[in-house]
Amino acid sequence: MTEKKKVKKSNSIVHSRYGCAIGAVNSVAAIPRGIPIANCGPGCADKQYFMLSFSNGFQGAGYSGGGALPSSNIGENEIVFGGQNKLDDLIKSALKIMDGDLFVVLTGCAGELIGDDVGAVVKGYQEKGYPVVYAEAAGFKGNNLIGHEIVVKAIIDQYVGDYNGEKEKGLINLWFEVPYFHTNWRGDYIEIKRILEGAGFKVQVLFGSEAKGPDEWKGIPKAQFNLVVSPWVGLETAEHLKEKYDQPFLHIPIIPIGEEATTAFVRKVVDFAGIDKEKSEAFIEEEAARYYYFLEHFSEFFSEYWFGLPAKFTTVADAAYNLAITKFFTDQVGLIPVRQIITDNTPEKYRDRIRELYRNISEGISLEVDFIEDGYQIEAEVKKVDYGSSVPLILGSSWEDDVVKELGGILVPISTPVTSEVVINRSYIGYNGALTLLEKVYSATVK
Amino acid sequence: MTRKINLDLSSVENREMRLGSIISWDGSASELAEASNYDIRGQKRTGEGGGCAGKKGPGCKLCELNMPFNQQTMCNHSIVGCQVGNIPDCILIEHSPIGCSAIHPRFNLGYRIGLMRRGKEVKNLQIVSTNLLERDMVFGASDKLRRSIRDAYERFNPKAIFISMSCSTAIIGEDIESIAMEMEGELNIPVIPLFCEGFRSKHWSTGFDISQHGVVRQIVNKNPQKQKDLINIVALWGTDYFTELLKPLGLRVNYLIDMASFDELAQASEAAATATFCHTLGSYMATALEEKYGVPQVNASQPYGFAGTDDWLRAIAKIMGKEEIIEEYIASEHARVLPKIQELREKLKGIKGFVSTGSSYAHGMISVLRELGIEVNGSIVFHHDPVYDSGHTEQNTLKHLVDNYGDIEHFTVSKTQQFQFYGLLKRVNPDFIIIRHNGLAPLAAKVGIPAFAMGDEHFPVGYDGIIRVGEALIEILARKKFNQVLQRHVKLPYTDWWLSQADPFILAKHPEILEEGKQ
Ligand code: SF4
């Protein structure tokens, strides 16, 4: 970085695009019968709910999130005298009131700064055999993506525990999108599981509608390997599991979208696992046939539509969605990427690898991606771009609404926060999701 | 007269200290009205008698039911964000890690709709976070705050800058007051420190007071030129029904604080009166303006139902010296709306409702339902202020409700605690709920009860408000079909043991139950 750029860099953020580490309460709520317990000020968990669930496709918080979420709501009294007793009361009553199988205590800023020994409180319960774990998830530690990995590690270390048994060939632990944060995560988990099962695997998806709850987590050490489908979130978990259970991992940084990418993805996973290819090849054949049946129909619209279609596009999203969606439109649809901005504060150590992926995004196309978190700067950048003669296409968040209006462009929301769409089980990935994504973008175009 | 509000101090005394507010209580509305001792507390606030609020003298402290279990709620830091963060030409800086700003997309939705309702240009909200990290907790973050203040100034050219304190910056002892003074000198615009850290008050409504305090202290015009036809309405994002309602009195409405411009806020001291749709929200500001600038506040309950609206209009007419025209206006309004209301009463016969909203707003809301002939045997308020800042007896909204519309058997104070909501609903089996704030409606939804989310808080205001609510309810009641589907198929996250408890406050009364081990 040049000296000049360093001086210009500011800490300020407007229009934030993620929550803080305590936002991982939503990851716990994404585990069937998992109960998050927020050990923080009143308002912390509520705010994260609004960023990650409500203002993100109005997903709803499910069984144990949102208004159901136990919280110590630390007050002045605890700040002065300590909050351990209040937390102890909270855990004790949560075990009696909340109907769950795994309780995860997440400590936020206030709890951490006053120096409560949360571990000691929780250990009391663990020793009595209660399924309670704790995680340090203060907001100043990082964003909700960091919080997600902190929580996953806490559950593995304190709940799943040691294992010396056999591994099961063909059984995968999936480390994929971050629950609630990735707007389409629920639909995406369904699609990726469908694909992996179609290829002959058994998959422990751990979060969402297809997950089996804490027992499935207990099965983590049995898996043949860990599959990380994400540019960076999940890598720490996979490294940890490698160390802990001597479990290898396969890292696929780009979430596959479209037939070619998804088929390549399947073959890669099958090769890595060394399982029989007959089933996966039959599956691929069937999926591809269906995919191109629809793509053929779509192509008529795409080549014959008289009234103008977008050609140049900008993506503003976290690393995972940004990379996957940029790749699809560049490599499979032939749109022209003009500006790519990653907004998730990707840790420095992963950035170069991600930059490389953009430089090789498609044959003959090399992109320079930017990492910016401050909405003010992001929106200024989006505005600066030359979109040429056709209507600008911006794949971003609802914060881009104003700037896209100014540009006279089309905004297709793909990243947190999304307040202009209701998302239920939609997916933009894999075989089926790619078609939905085309539907979405081109419906917005012809509207 | 002793001053109730000290504008010399930058910080505000919490509601629980100032007013004796509580967040957990169960009984009938009349019992709560009596226990609140409004008049005696009011005398203390007006300095006229030997009242007891704040001193916690015997007989004056409202007993609270302290529960060992709590669920997530809102905090006063959030409230400040959706108050002073919603002023189009001013900027709020949240001095905190980024998570404290995570509710902005939600606030942006309300802000944009509010701008639309007030006929202003619809644009995104701009609140700046200082985005603090772990090392800032150790080494302090004053330079980051200065930097963000300068960023805000350069980027947005605001007429004033607010700074809000958060849990973490309060604990590490950031001196936002000195920095505000220093930067005010540098930038030559008001820079306003707000002490609203989330842990500070047990109820979020203290955040309203903190916001209003900052506005009255540092924005309101100190040399007011009186505008005789201007009335302040302390409001949120509601549709502008007040202009219509007050037109016969020849008044122009000045809405405070959300979506108001700097200049609109500044002229608050020039108004002929201050009123509000909800004393829980408006009382602090009205009292501060009354004491400091002699702007009288409307001494009446709230403009809901016939009784409330009549009294409210009369009180305003009195301030304006227009008593001679008001009775005729009231009579003609009654005659105008009554046939339609009769019709609605027929349609809503036998229907039972449940209100769960902020404190005095619920009092108004229940009046409207009872005007429509709807049975209301249960209600939740998210906190209760036994007295408002003015101390004026006429503003005793709970008493006004009980006196004019009768008692409410199950009147509960509970701060959006979903786990209690199940038992509270079971006691009265309503056909619908009216709700503000998140967290409770999802539970009602799963036990077969549709919710009317009162997103436009001015909806029930005035005579027409009765009609609006009645008509909307007919639409909401149809949704019961959806809720019954849910009820048949979706499980609640609570144990059978808890769901079988008859008393939602059992754990406060018998905490020893918890010691028996799990089930
Ligand atoms: S940053 Fe800290 S205080 Fe703010 S919401 Fe997150 S955990 Fe709570």
Side-chain angles (χ1 to χ4, degrees), chain A residues 19-23 40-41 43-45 47-48 107-110 137-140, chain B residues 96-102 166-168:
Chain A
C20 66
I22 204 99
C40 52
C44 296
K47 286 169 173 169
Q48 310 316 311
T107 298
C109 292
F140 54 75
Chain B
S96 59
I98 196 68
C100 295
S101 302
S166 64
C167 288
S168 57

Side-chain angles (χ1 to χ4, degrees), chain A residues 10-13 15 42-43 47-48 51 66 68-69 71 73 76 92 95-97 99 140 374 399 402, chain B residues 70-73 75 77-78 99 102 112 124-125 129-131 134 148 151 155 199 418 491 493 495 515 518:
Chain A
S10 163
N11 54 291
S12 304
I13 289 186
H15 299 170
K47 286 169 173 169
Q48 310 316 311
M51 174 65 84
L69 203 150
S71 167
N73 298 344
E76 209 134 47
K92 197 189 295 166
L95 287 166
K96 189 114 176 152
I97 292 173
D99 192 9
F140 54 75
D374 170 23
W399 286 127
D402 280 354
Chain B
N70 285 289
Q71 287 164 313
Q72 67 151 45
T73 70
C75 66
H77 179 271
S78 269
R112 292 179 74 106
N124 277 337
L125 157 122
S129 167
T130 54
N131 182 27
E134 190 146 21
S148 289
D151 282 344
R155 290 174 174 190
F199 62 75
Q418 192 194 77
K491 189 196 169 311
T495 57
E515 303 303 331
K518 204 187 177 189

Side-chain angles (χ1 to χ4, degrees), chain B residues 163-225:
Chain B
I163 305 164
S164 74
M165 189 74 111
S166 64
C167 288
S168 57
T169 40
I171 296 173
I172 64 169
E174 284 289 292
D175 186 358
I176 62 170
E177 188 163 9
S178 304
I179 295 174
M181 275 182 350
E182 171 196 328
M183 296 307 287
E184 191 164 278
E186 179 180 318
L187 304 176
N188 240 330
I189 55 169
V191 179
I192 305 163
L194 301 176
F195 297 91
C196 59
E197 52 276 18
F199 62 75
R200 182 196 164 110
S201 174
K202 65 185 176 191
H203 196 262
W204 63 69
S205 55
T206 293
F208 293 124
D209 313 334
I210 295 169
S211 306
Q212 295 168 3
H213 187 84
V215 168
V216 176
R217 205 167 160 254
Q218 287 179 266
I219 292 186
V220 161
N221 196 343
K222 295 202 165 56
N223 302 302
Q225 305 286 313

